[in-house]
Amino acid sequence: MRAIIQCVSEASVTVNNELVSKISKGLMILVGIGTDDTDTDVATLSKKILTLRVFSDPSNPQNMWKASVKDIDGDILCVSQFTLMANTSKGNKPDFHRAMATEPSRAMYAKFLESLRTSYKAEKIQDGVFGAMMSVSLTNEGPVTITLDSRKFEYVETADSSKKGEKKLKAASETKTVETPIQVPTSAS
């Protein structure tokens, strides 16, 4: 499950020239659901979104990265976005085979919204119209835009691994070492 999170001073969704949702200060979230996503991905992503410290300290606006959306009593506007699952590695046409099919995705997206509503304040969570052609408008603050993936590994380079040409893959509870070959130029004798 993937999400693009943006800190906004305002955001709205319009469908067929009709305003569907509107929020003030908070988060605008685009959500993509993959074919292999489960309830665990919903729980992981919703928890991370609600606790991610992307706002300034309300008592000291110069002190950034101190508050979550819950801490500032902010709004959240979610929009389902299957295009986040696009594979663009081959050719110029995006491949959407990794995106979950419409009906199961609709059900999982509803679970995601419900998870946010039960973990925060239901009235603070807004969304667009699932599957509709939407016009999304927002004013990004910062600008702060963060990509989250419920299963993505982070590449962490350590001092000793950079000497050996290794990169460490770090997941929530495990660390794996991946050998990266180093090309050494040879001189012609």
Side-chain angles (χ1 to χ4, degrees):
M1 197 168 204
R2 293 181 181 156
I4 304 294
I5 298 168
Q6 294 181 293
C7 292
V8 297
S9 56
E10 62 182 359
S12 63
V13 173
T14 304
V15 177
N16 295 326
N17 295 319
E18 183 180 324
L19 182 66
V20 174
S21 300
K22 185 174 182 169
I23 65 167
S24 56
K25 188 172 181 73
L27 296 175
M28 172 71 215
I29 304 171
L30 303 175
V31 181
I33 301 171
T35 55
D36 58 350
D37 285 331
T38 66
D39 291 349
T40 301
D41 297 287
V42 168
T44 299
L45 202 58
S46 60
K47 180 179 179 187
K48 179 60 87 175
I49 287 167
L50 292 174
T51 58
L52 194 63
R53 294 184 297 172
V54 291
F55 293 98
S56 301
D57 181 345
S59 62
N60 182 3
Q62 301 298 350
N63 203 356
M64 197 56 186
W65 316 113
K66 297 295 181 183
S68 70
V69 69
K70 289 171 77 171
D71 295 332
I72 67 159
D73 198 36
D75 296 327
I76 297 176
L77 176 55
C78 296
V79 172
S80 61
Q81 186 79 34
F82 79 93
T83 60
L84 290 180
M85 304 310 292
N87 179 355
T88 59
S89 62
K90 293 181 181 177
N92 295 320
K93 183 180 177 185
D95 176 348
F96 299 109
H97 286 94
R98 288 230 35 216
M100 187 177 280
T102 303
E103 289 313 310
S105 180
R106 183 187 311 270
M108 185 153 293
Y109 181 66
K111 285 182 185 179
F112 172 73
L113 292 172
E114 187 57 29
S115 178
L116 291 174
R117 288 178 175 132
T118 57
S119 300
Y120 185 32
K121 298 176 180 175
E123 70 276 7
K124 293 282 190 179
I125 311 300
Q126 303 293 319
D127 77 304
V129 177
F130 187 92
M133 288 297 291
M134 295 174 266
S135 294
V136 178
S137 177
L138 61 98
T139 303
N140 189 322
E141 286 191 340
V144 175
T145 302
I146 295 177
T147 303
L148 295 178
D149 191 316
S150 60
R151 301 191 196 184
K152 188 171 177 93
F153 289 97
E154 291 181 37
Y155 290 91
V156 180
E157 194 167 331
T158 61
D160 62 349
S161 68
S162 63
K163 291 177 191 171
K164 297 177 188 174
E166 300 172 347
K167 288 197 177 191
K168 297 195 181 225
L169 291 175
K170 183 180 175 187
S173 62
E174 63 180 293
T175 302
K176 296 179 183 178
T177 302
V178 176
E179 294 290 332
T180 305
I182 298 175
Q183 301 253 342
V184 180
T186 57
S187 57
S189 312

